[in-house]
Amino acid sequence: MTASQRREQLLSVARELFASKGFDGTSVEEIAARAEVSKPVVYEHFGGKEGVYAVIVDREVQELTAALTGALDAGGHPKVLLERTALALLHYIEDSEDGFRILVRDSPVAQTTGTFSSLIGDVATQVEEILTEQFRINRLDPSSAPLYANMLVGMIALTGQYWLDNRATKKSEVAAHLVNLAWNGLSRMEKKPALMNAK
């Protein structure tokens, strides 16, 4: 194997292990044994388990970011954007199940970027821009758009996590239900919502 082929092999092996066992449950010894190499080979390529993990997370974040921002950048009616975004996440989960499992776990590497939560925050910022415009059009308070953007993105992300292990419902149906709840709720929003029994 060439050095780049060996590197890709190690990443592939480690990705499967991190997805099934998590960061703490995976060791350099296990990565090396599965790849049929010695531990020093893993250290030579990545400097240790943290290095392998960081490369895998970075690749997954880039792939998911591209899918989600592509769905949002395509333009169109806000409902269509919501549909595209929900489907983009579900497509990613379906095509990259191990990657999604790794992303939704707590990151053991202290970082403020390159994690699933930071990615979701970035997507929420993009959604916020779209909602702010729609709120103005519908004479709703645009200052509440960030809150609603985080609610929408969080709803889609948590549904994706649920669907990862509960595949009884088809991807298109999951997306349709998500959009149904989000869109029909958004289309009938009150200008000044209040709780019925607020204390």
Side-chain angles (χ1 to χ4, degrees):
M1 268 189 204
T2 66
S4 64
Q5 288 171 329
R6 177 65 71 196
R7 182 178 168 85
E8 290 306 314
Q9 179 212 20
L10 291 169
L11 287 168
S12 176
V13 166
R15 188 173 179 269
E16 281 183 34
L17 288 168
F18 288 136
S20 64
K21 297 182 164 199
F23 180 83
D24 291 333
T26 301
S27 66
V28 171
E29 292 84 359
E30 194 170 8
I31 294 168
R34 284 263 184 105
E36 298 179 351
V37 298
S38 63
K39 280 174 34 180
V41 173
V42 178
Y43 287 110
E44 177 187 322
H45 283 277
F46 300 101
K49 182 171 76 165
E50 292 82 2
V52 182
Y53 185 86
V55 170
I56 291 168
V57 168
D58 185 57
R59 285 184 176 186
E60 295 302 328
V61 166
Q62 286 181 27
E63 185 180 338
L64 183 51
T65 299
L68 294 175
T69 56
L72 289 168
D73 289 343
H77 190 277
K79 184 177 181 184
V80 173
L81 290 176
L82 184 59
E83 289 175 0
R84 277 197 222 123
T85 304
L87 279 170
L89 177 65
L90 296 173
H91 281 309
Y92 170 79
I93 292 169
E94 187 173 64
D95 296 341
S96 188
E97 187 174 312
D98 282 351
F100 189 70
R101 285 188 192 284
I102 292 167
L103 287 181
V104 297
R105 291 182 194 272
D106 290 336
S107 174
V109 182
Q111 54 190 9
T112 56
T113 60
T115 63
F116 186 65
S117 60
S118 69
L119 169 63
I120 292 303
D122 292 345
V123 172
T125 300
Q126 289 182 287
V127 171
E128 178 186 328
E129 293 170 14
I130 296 164
L131 285 183
T132 298
E133 181 183 341
Q134 290 301 310
F135 277 31
R136 284 193 180 108
I137 290 168
N138 291 295
R139 295 189 203 122
L140 298 167
D141 180 9
S143 69
S144 61
L147 180 63
Y148 283 95
N150 278 281
M151 286 186 230
L152 278 172
V153 173
M155 180 178 73
I156 292 170
L158 284 173
T159 302
Q161 287 179 281
Y162 170 81
W163 188 67
L164 178 65
D165 295 314
N166 298 278
R167 299 288 181 89
T169 309
K170 288 193 283 185
K171 177 174 53 185
S172 58
E173 289 179 40
V174 174
H177 286 293
L178 268 168
V179 173
N180 182 40
L181 175 60
W183 185 255
N184 288 322
L186 286 172
S187 66
R188 293 175 181 80
M189 285 200 313
E190 299 171 349
K191 287 187 180 184
K192 295 200 181 267
L195 300 177
M196 290 176 66
N197 191 19
K199 291 184 181 185

